[in-house]
Amino acid sequence: LFLLPKRAVTNSCRKRAVAERAAMSIEDEITFLERLPMLRPLGSGALRSLAIAAETYSMQPGEVLFTAGEDADGAYILQQGSVTLKPLQGPEAVAGPGTLLGESALLAETKRSATVTAREASMLMRVSRATFLKILDSYPDAAQRLRDHLALRANQWARDMENVRAVLSRGKRPE
């Protein structure tokens, strides 16, 4: 049974919200969400709220989830199937189950950096920014753990970029 979502997810494709979730129980969804590095720090309480609040979408091969350059108001978590990511610049990539698409849109206004198209029948969870921020407000300890996790990632990225800069300044190609 498929229903139209409350509002269109994208201008490029008609998404169908799944009225009844696939065979996954809430406990299965929490376990699934715990495997995602960005969401793992939230803990089971916040992840339970997230699993309950998330919308589930199905896509058929060739359907476009969103287009590069569009405003992003949330993220998608690929549960089943695979999608192609085509950025404005650079090579295409393929993503499979457990991929978080548009994670920065959970925290800030941003644009989509790639066009995402289903390669096969796929199931995704959609989490809006408003929902995600409400969950963080409701679970301040989870919000602090997420902040710490993101700070560690940012520090690691900065160290990696410094290593690249050092290699390039010596005239060597990075390995």
Side-chain angles (χ1 to χ4, degrees), residues 67-119:
T67 303
E70 289 179 349
D71 289 336
D73 68 346
Y76 294 86
I77 303 157
L78 189 55
Q79 291 179 293
Q80 298 172 2
S82 63
V83 296
T84 300
L85 291 79
K86 184 174 181 173
L88 291 172
Q89 297 178 345
E92 287 185 3
V94 174
T99 302
L100 178 59
L101 303 165
E103 69 181 44
S104 61
L106 289 172
L107 299 168
E109 291 183 19
T110 187
K111 302 276 186 189
R112 299 289 182 198
S113 61
T115 297
V116 174
T117 306
R119 293 169 41 100

Side-chain angles (χ1 to χ4, degrees), residues 34-101:
E34 285 175 333
R35 289 188 238 145
L36 280 71
M38 181 176 164
L39 300 180
R40 184 178 307 122
L42 297 180
S44 62
L47 290 177
R48 176 176 298 281
S49 294
L50 190 66
I52 291 168
E55 299 169 282
T56 302
Y57 288 86
S58 67
M59 293 180 65
Q60 296 306 310
E63 283 190 284
V64 175
L65 180 63
F66 51 75
T67 303
E70 289 179 349
D71 289 336
D73 68 346
Y76 294 86
I77 303 157
L78 189 55
Q79 291 179 293
Q80 298 172 2
S82 63
V83 296
T84 300
L85 291 79
K86 184 174 181 173
L88 291 172
Q89 297 178 345
E92 287 185 3
V94 174
T99 302
L100 178 59
L101 303 165

Side-chain angles (χ1 to χ4, degrees), residues 50 105-109 127-139 143 146:
L50 190 66
L106 289 172
L107 299 168
E109 291 183 19
V127 179
S128 72
R129 178 182 319 113
T131 296
F132 191 73
L133 294 177
K134 284 178 189 174
I135 290 170
L136 292 180
D137 283 344
S138 298
Y139 294 89
L146 179 62

Side-chain angles (χ1 to χ4, degrees), residues 1 9 27 31-32 35 49 56 71 94 100 114 116 118 121 137 145 148 155 161 163 166-167:
L1 175 63
V9 176
E27 296 306 319
T31 299
F32 178 79
R35 289 188 238 145
S49 294
T56 302
D71 289 336
V94 174
L100 178 59
V116 174
D137 283 344
R145 288 189 303 270
D148 294 345
N155 287 335
M161 290 303 102
N163 290 339
V167 168

